[in-house]
Amino acid sequence: MRRIYGLSFMATSHSASVRVYTNKSNCKLGKEFKCLDDAVTLFHQMVRMKPLPSVVDFSKLFKNMVSMKHYSASLSLFREMQKLGIPISDFILNIMTNSYCLMHRVDCAFSMLPIYLKNGIPFNTVTFNTLIRGLFAEKKFKDAVELFKKLVREKICEPDEVMYATVMNGLSKRGHTQKTLSLLRLMEQGNTKPDVYIYNIVIDSLCKDGNLDGAITLLNEMKQRGIPPNIVTYSSLIDGLCKLGQWRKVKILFSEMVNHNIYPGVRSFNILTDGLCKEGKVKDAEEIMKHMVGKGVEPNIITYNAIMHGYCLRGQLDRARIIFDSLVDKGIEPNSFSYNILINGYCKKRKLAEAMQLFCEISQKGSKPDIVTYNTILQGLFEVGRTDDAKKFFGEMLSSGTVPDLCTHHTLLDGYFKYGLVEEAMSLFNKLVGKKENIDIISYNIIINGLCKNGELDKAHAIFEKIYSMGLLPDARTYNTMITGFCLKGLLDEAKDMLRKMEDNGCFPDNVTYNVVVQGFLRCNKISEMTSFMKEIAGRGFSFDATTTSFLINVIRDNPSVLEIIPELQLENKK
């Protein structure tokens, strides 16, 4: 027998009968309780009654306690109930199993199974649905799938729609779309047939994978099987199509929804509005919003935020501000996203005065700017060269109790290096390393790039060598930055060594890498070495970028004979 969480499932558990208790009490047990103390008091009153209240009454008590999230207390009372020898039911055991799962103690939930066996109560689909859901909640995906397979293989219980949905939901959230689809096909062949909810899970998973053709094929299969799609089905498809910019198909689906008397709610309209705005089709999005109102669907803050974001992306800040100012008249309170969208728009246009005015307005309205707001303003200040104001603003941010995140540190480091404040940048970097703060490879890329651009190539190389000891791996940008640094200094041998190291460590050079090296050869007028290098990288998809072309033109102007090798090089690269 296979064992899961230390328990073997016995075939005899199928034939066990459920104990049904019908003891009735004339006492009033239906009174509502509003706190844990009331529930505990009621429980102790119940266990002293003669005759005892029915098992249904105890079930109701525990169900109410769990709905109030008193999981631990309900388990404690259940154990007391066991000690007193008070009869229990499958419903009570399922409540206790669920309590453990909701506490993220699925291991303890499995310890409930022997209690079923001891009391002659068979396991049912509710029991296993709860356990599978608990395993997925704790990210124990393999265990969840293994348990499901065991139930089917050993015929411990027949999976119902809920169990299939639980497993398929768990798989799709993990990105296992094909496994989810395979499970749907298995379900279609079994006794439990998929409903619209099951199809929606698979369609949504396919849409998130960008496989819209597969999702639409499944939609057509649903219709052929007589399962009408609902608003959730169409919302997933419209969201996926919007992200791919397939507006013709979006229009067809919208018309199809209306023809089937499925009227989109605000969520569906928001998906479409957001997609149009991100494509720059703000006017179309506003038409959709008018259509919403015409259908009796009131736009919400998400709708207006999408429209504002669309105008900001187009640089039409005046239009975005009009939308923002109109919110109060419509009885809608702007949220942090509303402020951040507009503040970011002003910062991108270098209108820091307007951005700061909005920033101050947040506090005046009794709210608190979030980390995104602070990061946006901070970046905006660096963009216009106001480094002293940026330092001061960062200090105010710390004083407010707002904790900097990775984006904050990236903005500061990049800003310091951009304006030659190398000491400030390195001081911050060393402080972060000393405190063992969360530093990623992007942080190192900023440091290495900043040092190289400020003439500190040796220091940049020394930090590059420490990356592995920090448990990080250099990416293409890290290598490209170092190679660029060496090439700018004319250290072509070191640049080629770094290129070899890059390849040896499984980080494949890209077109940027090759162009940087070729530019190095051209800058040092080492044409023969460049020719040899280009023959070496033939077939790797290399092509001259604008900067390399410009260098090449200058070299040809001084040395026309170089022109003779260009056709040969191009031919080699096409092979």
Side-chain angles (χ1 to χ4, degrees):
M1 284 186 295
R2 297 276 312 268
R3 297 175 71 86
I4 297 179
Y5 282 82
L7 179 74
S8 298
F9 295 119
M10 296 180 241
T12 54
S13 66
H14 286 289
S15 57
S17 60
V18 180
R19 295 181 184 176
V20 180
Y21 301 96
T22 57
N23 293 19
K24 292 183 180 179
S25 171
N26 294 323
C27 299
K28 293 181 180 179
L29 299 172
K31 68 176 184 178
E32 293 183 6
F33 53 86
K34 295 181 180 179
C35 66
L36 178 58
D37 288 343
D38 289 346
V40 173
T41 300
L42 180 58
F43 174 82
H44 287 131
Q45 287 174 356
M46 290 170 70
V47 297
R48 288 195 297 268
M49 289 177 182
K50 301 292 182 182
L52 281 170
S54 73
V55 70
V56 175
D57 290 320
F58 281 104
S59 299
K60 288 178 180 177
L61 173 69
F62 288 129
K63 183 182 177 183
N64 288 335
M65 288 180 70
V66 171
S67 69
M68 294 171 69
K69 301 184 179 181
H70 296 308
Y71 313 130
S72 183
S74 66
L75 287 160
S76 178
L77 294 183
F78 169 73
R79 285 190 286 269
E80 193 172 331
M81 190 177 176
Q82 282 184 289
K83 288 177 185 176
L84 293 169
I86 297 172
I88 56 176
S89 67
D90 59 338
F91 190 80
I92 290 177
L93 287 174
N94 285 338
I95 289 172
M96 297 307 137
T97 303
N98 191 38
S99 293
Y100 275 126
C101 289
L102 290 169
M103 292 167 67
H104 295 286
R105 290 302 308 273
V106 72
D107 53 336
C108 294
F110 274 91
S111 70
M112 296 295 298
L113 296 182
I115 301 175
Y116 286 82
L117 296 173
K118 184 181 176 182
N119 288 272
I121 299 172
F123 312 130
N124 56 32
T125 52
V126 176
T127 313
F128 291 112
N129 286 341
T130 303
L131 291 169
I132 290 170
R133 188 168 57 248
L135 288 167
F136 275 119
E138 292 186 32
K139 302 192 185 323
K140 296 178 178 177
F141 301 100
K142 289 184 179 178
D143 290 340
V145 173
E146 182 58 35
L147 175 57
F148 174 75
K149 287 180 178 178
K150 186 177 182 69
L151 297 176
V152 176
R153 186 173 58 244
E154 300 182 15
K155 298 182 179 179
I156 295 167
C157 77
E158 178 75 22
D160 60 4
E161 293 93 338
V162 177
M163 187 177 291
Y164 275 108
T166 303
V167 176
M168 292 164 80
N169 239 327
L171 288 170
S172 67
K173 285 178 181 177
R174 183 73 173 175
H176 296 304
T177 302
Q178 285 308 310
K179 289 181 181 178
T180 308
L181 183 58
S182 297
L183 199 52
L184 171 69
R185 298 308 183 200
L186 179 69
M187 193 177 180
E188 287 171 340
Q189 296 167 14
N191 297 323
T192 306
K193 299 298 180 185
D195 56 12
V196 65
Y197 180 72
I198 296 289
Y199 277 103
N200 284 346
I201 292 170
V202 187
I203 286 172
D204 188 63
S205 191
L206 288 165
C207 289
K208 283 184 168 60
D209 273 3
N211 185 1
L212 269 297
D213 290 338
I216 290 171
T217 300
L218 204 55
L219 171 70
N220 293 330
E221 283 184 28
M222 279 177 66
K223 295 173 185 174
Q224 290 168 7
R225 291 174 183 271
I227 302 170
N230 60 17
I231 187 65
V232 177
T233 323
Y234 284 111
S235 294
S236 294
L237 288 162
I238 288 168
D239 186 33
L241 290 168
C242 284
K243 284 173 180 172
L244 293 178
Q246 296 184 15
W247 303 110
R248 187 181 61 81
K249 290 182 180 179
V250 169
K251 189 176 180 181
I252 292 169
L253 277 181
F254 242 81
S255 300
E256 189 177 302
M257 284 173 70
V258 175
N259 290 338
H260 286 89
N261 294 319
I262 300 172
Y263 293 101
V266 68
R267 180 178 176 271
S268 300
F269 275 118
N270 285 345
I271 289 169
L272 183 54
T273 303
D274 186 59
L276 286 167
C277 287
K278 284 175 179 173
E279 286 280 317
K281 302 176 185 292
V282 192
K283 287 292 182 186
D284 292 339
E286 286 203 291
E287 285 300 316
I288 291 290
M289 191 164 67
K290 288 176 185 175
H291 186 66
M292 283 174 69
V293 177
K295 290 291 182 182
V297 180
E298 281 300 316
N300 59 16
I301 189 63
I302 297 171
T303 322
Y304 289 108
N305 284 346
I307 300 287
M308 279 197 298
H309 188 222
Y311 277 122
C312 285
L313 288 174
R314 290 174 60 88
Q316 295 176 271
L317 293 176
D318 291 343
R319 290 291 305 161
R321 185 64 196 243
I322 290 170
I323 299 289
F324 181 86
D325 291 336
S326 70
L327 292 176
V328 178
D329 296 334
K330 292 180 171 67
I332 299 173
E333 191 68 31
N335 59 17
S336 60
F337 291 103
S338 315
Y339 280 100
N340 289 340
I341 287 165
L342 204 49
I343 287 171
N344 185 55
Y346 281 131
C347 287
K348 288 280 172 66
K349 283 286 186 179
R350 301 189 166 213
K351 295 186 175 183
L352 268 296
E354 289 88 341
M356 289 303 296
Q357 183 184 358
L358 272 179
F359 176 83
C360 294
E361 190 179 303
I362 298 173
S363 301
Q364 289 167 5
K365 291 199 171 181
S367 300
K368 187 180 178 181
D370 60 19
I371 188 62
V372 177
T373 323
Y374 277 105
N375 288 344
T376 304
I377 297 280
L378 199 59
Q379 189 166 11
L381 289 168
F382 276 120
E383 282 294 324
V384 296
R386 291 166 58 178
T387 54
D388 289 338
D389 288 337
K391 290 180 197 176
K392 184 180 176 183
F393 187 75
F394 178 61
E396 290 172 1
M397 171 183 160
L398 297 177
S399 299
S400 73
T402 305
V403 180
D405 62 5
L406 264 175
C407 184
T408 318
H409 294 141
H410 292 165
T411 301
L412 287 166
L413 291 170
D414 194 50
Y416 287 152
F417 278 121
K418 183 178 179 180
Y419 295 100
L421 304 174
V422 179
E423 287 186 15
E424 283 90 337
M426 292 309 298
S427 174
L428 174 61
F429 176 70
N430 291 329
K431 195 179 292 182
L432 295 175
V433 172
K435 289 182 178 179
K436 296 185 178 179
E437 293 272 356
N438 187 19
I439 298 179
D440 60 1
I441 192 61
I442 298 173
S443 309
Y444 276 92
N445 287 345
I446 293 170
I447 292 292
I448 291 167
N449 184 53
L451 287 170
C452 286
K453 286 187 174 178
N454 282 276
E456 301 281 2
L457 182 60
D458 290 341
K459 288 182 180 178
H461 193 204
I463 286 176
F464 174 87
E465 295 296 334
K466 291 179 182 177
I467 290 177
Y468 286 100
S469 64
M470 298 299 293
L472 296 170
L473 290 174
D475 58 17
R477 187 171 180 181
T478 323
Y479 285 107
N480 288 346
T481 303
M482 282 305 310
I483 290 168
T484 302
F486 285 130
C487 287
L488 287 172
K489 288 283 187 178
L491 302 171
L492 298 183
D493 289 339
E494 286 83 347
K496 286 190 287 184
D497 287 342
M498 187 62 69
L499 176 61
R500 302 291 174 260
K501 185 183 286 189
M502 182 180 187
E503 293 172 327
D504 292 343
N505 289 332
C507 186
F508 298 104
D510 54 20
N511 203 49
V512 174
T513 320
Y514 296 133
N515 271 286
V516 165
V517 177
V518 170
Q519 288 166 27
F521 286 127
L522 290 170
R523 193 180 285 107
C524 296
N525 205 27
K526 295 191 176 182
I527 308 304
S528 60
E529 290 187 35
M530 181 194 77
T531 306
S532 175
F533 176 74
M534 289 189 65
K535 286 182 178 179
E536 186 182 326
I537 62 172
R540 298 192 188 182
F542 168 73
S543 60
F544 293 133
D545 63 16
T547 307
T548 308
T549 304
S550 178
F551 268 112
L552 195 58
I553 290 169
N554 290 333
V555 170
I556 292 169
R557 188 182 294 122
D558 296 333
N559 185 4
S561 62
V562 174
L563 193 59
E564 297 174 9
I565 65 170
I566 299 300
E568 181 187 345
L569 291 175
Q570 289 177 333
L571 185 62
E572 288 287 342
N573 281 324
K574 287 178 182 177
K575 286 182 181 179

